[in-house]
Amino acid sequence: MLIVLVALLDSCRRSESVQPVPSTSSPANPIDVSVLSVLPEHAYGKDSGKDKEQSALTAFIRGKLQGSHGIFTNLIETQQESESATGHEVLSESASLLLRYDVLSGDPQRFEQDWQTARQTFDLDTGFSYRYSPKQDKRYPVNAAVDDLRMIRSFYEAGKRFDREDYTRLADDYSRRFLKYNVQDGYMVDFYNEQAGERNSFITLCYIDLKTLALMPDGPDKQKLLSQMTGIVTGGYISDDFPFYHTRYDYKKQAYLTESVNTVESLLTILALSEVHLERPASIAYIKEKVKAGELYGKYSFKGQPSTDLQSTAIYALAAMIGSTIGDRELYEDSINRMQAYQIPAGQGELAGAFADAATGQAYSFDNLTALLAYQY
């Protein structure tokens, strides 16, 4: 079976630590769909004082990182022959991040243009291809559930923000497709391989976008899906001492499988929980403490010890989104200020405005688009 190789989540393919599984049939705190708003409840980025930085980043992305098929995975081109996406290959991940930015920044024309590009590049019969290689003229026959859900979210948000019922109907249509191919017996999986007609047998916790699942059309199995996936996410909590989350849940083994704790993955999981008001106070307190100290590292052991001294733009961008989502302006501003340290200042040539490595010229789509989205949160 073909394995999805989204660059951000390569670590999901490895597993060493197997943890016991709590019951997922009755989550202690079910999602109250009636209180969810389609658009984010706060928008601290609107008055953050970072307009110049956001404009510089937008100019870099639109002028240097965007091509006719979408946003390049990396500014530096390659032969596009690697196992994971490189160079000017494009990802549905990037398209979905950009579409959400278009909505939150209130630009209906850009949204429609970027959607038409994404539709032509990624739309399959069974989902959105996670990756397209222009050099190989290859559209991969596999989707990534997290990116499909983010794409669907952008349509629901666009329908609300731009008062366009056609976008809401489109979101409903793609939701039904998602439920057909990426859900089985009320359990969501990472991907569906259109070519092989196969699903995988596990779910990566940070793929579980609970809010988008809650926004989908009502149906006989919707509550079952929400209940089971909420149980799997909340059951993946490690401990109050280290309040992050496991990587994935294997349905066949009925176990959480994690090699090491990837911070971006755990932050995405905490963001998803915060969007449906199920975040844990210990997680928020931990993130605030580490952001304040500038010590939010890329990977940790299960005991909460950093296994790298590397940090990243995306880590602090996601922390900012969490802050805004839960209504914590201090966390938002502290995180944005930490994120800002990675931006190349004006007057620095081709990389001006980018979140990039000035020494190597590497500028990755996920870092830049997550930062761009954080500016609008």
Side-chain angles (χ1 to χ4, degrees):
M1 178 185 293
L2 180 62
I3 298 295
V4 172
L5 297 170
V6 180
L8 167 65
L9 300 174
D10 281 342
S11 62
C12 297
R13 301 170 60 202
R14 304 182 297 272
S15 58
E16 290 182 354
S17 175
V18 180
Q19 303 295 323
V21 182
S23 171
T24 60
S25 59
S26 301
N29 298 298
I31 297 170
D32 185 353
V33 177
S34 67
V35 302
L36 296 182
S37 62
V38 175
L39 293 165
E41 296 176 28
H42 306 96
Y44 294 146
K46 301 293 186 183
D47 57 1
S48 65
K50 302 295 185 183
D51 291 348
K52 289 176 61 177
E53 292 85 351
Q54 182 181 173
S55 294
L57 176 58
T58 303
F60 169 76
I61 291 173
R62 296 291 189 186
K64 304 289 177 59
L65 211 57
Q66 187 168 25
S68 59
H69 299 286
I71 303 297
F72 303 146
T73 299
N74 194 330
L75 182 62
I76 297 177
E77 178 62 299
T78 65
Q79 291 303 309
Q80 304 178 9
E81 295 174 341
S82 297
E83 191 176 59
S84 56
T86 61
H88 291 187
E89 289 184 271
V90 292
L91 296 168
S92 61
E93 171 188 83
S94 302
S96 61
L97 287 166
L98 187 61
L99 286 171
R100 289 207 66 213
Y101 172 77
D102 291 338
V103 175
L104 299 186
S105 62
D107 194 333
Q109 288 76 30
R110 280 287 193 184
F111 180 86
E112 179 61 24
Q113 291 169 8
D114 290 331
W115 159 232
Q116 291 304 323
T117 298
R119 182 183 63 79
Q120 293 167 17
T121 303
F122 300 110
D123 202 13
L124 302 169
D125 290 337
T126 59
F128 294 104
S129 168
Y130 90 97
R131 173 183 173 190
Y132 174 71
S133 167
K135 276 190 175 180
Q136 307 296 327
D137 190 21
K138 181 177 181 180
R139 179 189 288 170
Y140 287 72
V142 179
N143 76 330
V146 63
D147 304 327
D148 281 32
L149 289 174
R150 195 185 299 111
M151 199 89 76
I152 291 167
R153 172 86 71 90
S154 77
F155 301 139
Y156 280 122
E157 290 177 330
K160 184 73 172 179
R161 181 68 185 271
F162 305 140
D163 193 22
R164 291 276 301 269
E165 290 186 8
D166 56 327
Y167 285 143
T168 302
R169 288 194 298 270
L170 189 64
D172 286 344
D173 289 343
Y174 281 126
S175 292
R176 295 185 186 98
R177 182 178 74 177
F178 181 87
L179 295 171
K180 179 178 180 179
Y181 292 104
N182 278 86
V183 175
Q184 188 170 31
D185 299 325
Y187 290 103
M188 179 181 144
V189 296
D190 275 17
F191 64 84
Y192 182 81
N193 182 336
E194 181 174 284
Q195 192 173 70
E198 295 177 338
R199 300 176 181 87
N200 66 310
S201 61
F202 59 83
I203 184 65
T204 302
L205 266 63
C206 66
Y207 274 33
I208 306 172
D209 180 346
L210 293 170
K211 182 175 179 179
T212 301
L213 294 178
L215 292 173
M216 288 181 172
D218 289 332
D221 297 325
K222 177 177 176 178
Q223 195 52 50
K224 179 182 179 182
L225 172 65
L226 278 176
S227 176
Q228 292 181 160
M229 300 319 296
T230 302
I232 287 172
V233 177
T234 56
Y237 183 71
I238 294 174
S239 72
D240 285 343
D241 292 330
F242 182 49
F244 274 9
Y245 286 80
H246 285 286
T247 300
R248 65 177 178 173
Y249 178 78
D250 189 294
Y251 294 119
K252 291 183 178 179
K253 296 180 180 179
Q254 295 190 342
Y256 291 100
L257 305 177
T258 307
E259 181 183 58
S260 62
V261 181
N262 183 299
T263 301
V264 164
E265 293 172 351
S266 275
L267 291 178
L268 284 167
T269 299
I270 294 166
L271 176 59
L273 287 165
S274 70
E275 289 178 328
V276 293
H277 311 294
L278 293 179
E279 74 281 359
R280 284 181 175 260
S283 296
I284 303 304
Y286 181 88
I287 293 168
K288 291 188 70 169
E289 175 190 342
K290 296 302 181 183
V291 169
K292 278 281 188 187
E295 297 176 349
L296 199 51
Y297 298 107
K299 286 190 177 182
Y300 290 86
S301 71
F302 282 100
K303 294 183 179 180
Q305 298 299 315
S307 53
T308 179
D309 59 358
L310 297 178
Q311 302 187 46
S312 74
T313 300
I315 285 173
Y316 288 111
L318 290 168
M321 292 182 203
I322 292 168
S324 184
T325 299
I326 64 174
D328 190 325
R329 184 182 288 273
E330 180 182 45
L331 176 56
Y332 177 83
E333 292 180 349
D334 286 348
S335 300
I336 286 290
N337 288 334
R338 291 290 181 190
M339 183 189 84
Q340 204 59 61
Y342 297 95
Q343 189 172 26
I344 305 294
Q348 297 296 311
E350 185 180 31
L351 293 174
F355 287 84
D357 184 335
T360 65
Q362 306 279 356
Y364 290 98
S365 56
F366 187 74
D367 276 335
N368 283 275
L369 290 168
T370 308
L372 189 66
L373 193 56
Y375 279 135
Q376 280 296 317
Y377 256 71

